[in-house]
Amino acid sequence: MGAAEGKENRPPYLMIAILFFGAFITILNNSLLNVALPSMMADLNIENYGTIQWLVTGFMLTGGVLMPLSGFLLVRFTNRSLYILAMSLFTLGTLISALAPNFGFLLAGRIIQAAGSSVMGPLLMNIMLVSFPREKRGSVMGVFGLVMIAGPAIGPTLSGYIVQCYDWRFLFEMILPFAALNLALAVWKLKNVMGTRPATLDIPSVLLSAFGFGGLLYGCSEASTAGWNDPFVYGPIGAGALALAVFAARQLKLSDPLLDLRVYRYPMFALSSVIMIIVSASMFSGMILTPAYVQNVRGISPLESGLLMLPGALIMGAMSPVTGRLFDKFGPRMLAITGLAVTAVSTWMLSRLEIDSSYYHIMLVYAVRMLGMSMVMMPVMTNGMNQLPTRLNPYGTAVNNTLQQVAGSIGTAVFVTMMNNHARASAVELMAGIDPASAGAEQIAHLTRQALLDGIQFSFLAATGVTVAALILSLFMKRVDVSPEAVARLEREDRAAAAKPEPN
């Protein structure tokens, strides 16, 4: 990195506040849609839940495809110009979404939004990493987590109110003036605090990354309607996996890779990355499955659905600074083990929900699940980043954000596919021997809801197994030494390693 990096004696609080504001807007924008999807599905005359799900999955996939570029962008361009471009794209995408006449335009607007927001998280995180010492990163990242969770905290409730009282377009119309205001503040006040250096963009790596991640998600999403045995499902998945294998091999050979996978030479970073991938897949799936259960099985209104999810999100946000301070004091292992155990148990309890489960029981279980996740996300990620030398910070954040975004996309697609496929199979079984002509509409509706419930239960059970896998991995986590002596030794070793030529 350039010489300017890390020279600020006083953290750039104004810049961080502007970036926090922008990140909050983008996350709020995304969380607004989760509760609104069933209503948008009806308004846009879309019959398959897997199709409307692309408004969320497509946003996440676009971010996952573009985030590998963030490492290159952060070292090549100034943080000011990069953020202004990103916020401009997000504002344009929001405008297109608000005015979209059909699903195609709406999806295009969402993709443009994602293209802009994909760099905001890595940019904000890197500015914080160079602005605060390692021994204080836990508390700082805790505040970061609070801001990042504020959007999901109020998003579902706000979305439920808007969908119930207004049109879904207001979800975007409401965001638009705030996005424009943030863009104006960025143009007015943002300064450059991170150094840059010459870097070469490897086009084959960009293409392999886009094709690989795109193929995986497309195949997983199509499975919800076509089934896993369809060539349009296993074909893209296989091709995407092959492209990613070639991509990874190419990164290890390049002197200036698009996504520097050498960060995985550091064991705690590698372990934290795997745990975060698993937790992201489980968390994003729960944020989709829960509204599907509450609205489509229980028939609860969008507003009440949002209110049901609000306590859990508020708890997660309130706990973030607390877990940050606990991380600085005790390290990540205790927090990760406790949090993942709580998450696993509460996810299993969600798999036991019934058609007549009480409103407050659902609220309590969901809140406990979010409490567990609040103890995992930031401590695990911060511990991994603490083991990286400063030079690799942009690539570490790029790897983390890319894989978490893609894991959330693919995990959501896979769990929704499980839900749809299991619900269809359950519907066939439940309606076997029933004559649709003689059966009453109420009986058919009840059996349909029961079939969907079976699919949701099955998906939550699978998510429980995934969470247990992360819990087992957390047993091997160790606290990274962030003493001045250890950090100085790490930087010396990294400079020596960087000076050596890479083997052919």
Side-chain angles (χ1 to χ4, degrees):
M1 300 297 292
E5 182 179 319
K7 284 190 175 182
E8 292 284 334
N9 294 323
R10 183 174 180 271
Y13 290 112
L14 178 59
M15 170 176 288
I16 291 174
I18 293 173
L19 296 179
F20 271 153
F21 181 31
F24 169 76
I25 292 170
T26 61
I27 293 176
L28 173 62
N29 167 82
N30 203 31
S31 65
L32 284 172
L33 290 193
N34 290 333
V35 173
L37 287 181
S39 298
M40 297 173 76
M41 185 176 171
D43 188 61
L44 295 169
N45 297 317
I46 295 173
E47 298 181 357
N48 189 284
Y49 199 83
T51 301
I52 197 69
Q53 174 60 35
W54 271 95
L55 293 177
V56 174
T57 307
F59 184 97
M60 295 171 66
L61 173 65
T62 303
V65 169
L66 294 178
M67 275 183 187
L69 283 168
S70 64
F72 162 80
L73 295 173
L74 287 170
V75 301
R76 179 65 181 83
F77 299 101
T78 64
N79 53 259
R80 184 178 187 275
S81 60
L82 192 57
Y83 186 81
I84 290 173
L85 174 61
M87 201 65 209
S88 298
L89 285 173
F90 178 80
T91 304
L92 175 62
T94 304
L95 177 62
I96 293 174
S97 298
L99 300 176
N102 54 45
F103 177 77
F105 275 90
L106 180 57
L107 181 59
R110 291 285 291 162
I111 289 173
I112 295 173
Q113 279 186 322
S117 65
S118 62
V119 76
M120 292 182 185
L123 181 58
L124 173 56
M125 189 171 296
N126 271 276
I127 289 177
M128 290 195 301
L129 289 175
V130 301
S131 300
F132 297 92
R134 294 172 191 254
E135 64 272 14
K136 294 183 179 179
R137 283 181 180 175
S139 299
V140 173
M141 295 298 283
V143 177
F144 173 76
L146 170 61
V147 174
M148 295 302 97
I149 293 165
I154 68 174
T157 305
L158 182 60
S159 174
Y161 173 76
I162 290 172
V163 169
Q164 186 163 311
C165 301
Y166 300 97
D167 185 79
W168 60 263
R169 294 180 188 278
F170 191 67
L171 297 173
F172 299 101
E173 294 167 353
M174 175 187 64
I175 291 292
L176 188 59
F178 291 104
L181 173 61
N182 184 257
L183 177 59
L185 288 173
V187 172
W188 180 35
K189 284 294 185 180
L190 244 59
K191 297 180 180 179
N192 294 316
V193 298
M194 295 175 59
T196 61
R197 65 170 175 81
T200 304
L201 180 62
D202 184 58
I203 300 300
S205 293
V206 175
L207 296 177
L208 286 168
S209 170
F211 187 72
F213 291 128
L216 283 179
L217 183 68
Y218 177 80
C220 291
S221 298
E222 284 298 299
S224 63
T225 55
W228 294 102
N229 294 325
D230 191 283
F232 287 99
V233 174
Y234 63 75
I237 290 175
L242 179 61
L244 288 180
V246 176
F247 170 80
R250 184 175 181 83
Q251 302 317 294
L252 295 174
K253 292 180 180 179
L254 293 173
S255 59
D256 198 4
L258 176 69
L259 199 62
D260 197 336
L261 300 181
R262 296 172 184 85
V263 292
Y264 283 105
R265 292 175 176 173
Y266 298 86
M268 286 303 103
F269 177 87
L271 180 60
S272 70
S273 179
V274 174
I275 293 174
M276 290 301 297
I277 288 171
I278 296 173
V279 173
S280 295
S282 179
M283 182 179 74
F284 282 110
S285 65
M287 294 174 70
I288 297 297
L289 294 173
T290 304
Y293 163 78
V294 171
Q295 294 184 50
N296 296 337
V297 174
R298 289 293 314 279
I300 295 174
S301 70
L303 176 57
E304 290 180 317
S305 174
L307 289 172
L308 182 146
M309 300 173 71
L310 179 61
L314 290 175
I315 288 172
M316 192 174 185
M319 282 295 296
S320 191
V322 176
T323 55
R325 290 193 293 270
L326 291 175
F327 167 82
D328 285 338
K329 186 173 183 179
F330 300 108
R333 190 169 183 268
M334 177 195 71
L335 289 168
I337 292 174
T338 305
L340 286 167
V342 171
T343 303
V345 172
S346 55
T347 304
W348 176 81
M349 293 178 69
L350 287 175
S351 75
R352 309 300 297 171
L353 292 175
E354 299 292 345
I355 287 182
D356 58 351
S357 295
S358 74
Y359 181 88
Y360 292 105
H361 171 75
I362 305 166
M363 178 186 290
L364 176 62
V365 174
Y366 185 80
V368 171
R369 186 173 191 262
M370 299 299 278
L371 171 65
M373 287 192 169
S374 71
M375 303 174 71
V376 179
M377 304 289 282
M378 286 300 166
V380 169
M381 181 171 60
T382 304
N383 192 64
M385 291 299 300
N386 277 347
Q387 199 175 35
L388 296 183
T390 303
R391 179 181 63 88
L392 291 179
N393 279 345
Y395 298 104
T397 56
V399 168
N400 271 338
N401 282 277
T402 297
L403 294 183
Q404 288 173 38
Q405 189 86 338
V406 173
S409 301
I410 294 177
T412 299
V414 169
F415 285 117
V416 169
T417 298
M418 287 181 179
M419 178 188 74
N420 288 337
N421 291 347
H422 199 79
R424 278 197 295 267
S426 179
V428 171
E429 182 178 342
L430 289 170
M431 295 186 183
I434 295 179
D435 183 7
S438 60
E442 185 176 343
Q443 182 182 10
I444 296 296
H446 175 77
L447 293 177
T448 301
R449 290 192 351 258
Q450 182 62 54
L452 179 59
L453 174 62
D454 290 345
I456 293 172
Q457 288 176 333
F458 182 81
S459 294
F460 272 126
L461 189 61
T464 302
V466 168
T467 307
V468 170
L471 173 60
I472 294 172
L473 289 175
S474 70
L475 299 174
F476 301 94
M477 183 167 289
K478 297 178 181 178
R479 184 174 190 174
V480 173
D481 187 357
V482 294
S483 65
E485 297 80 10
V487 173
R489 183 170 62 252
L490 174 68
E491 298 293 348
R492 285 196 305 269
E493 292 173 351
D494 177 65
R495 287 193 295 270
K500 294 180 182 180
E502 290 291 331
N504 295 326

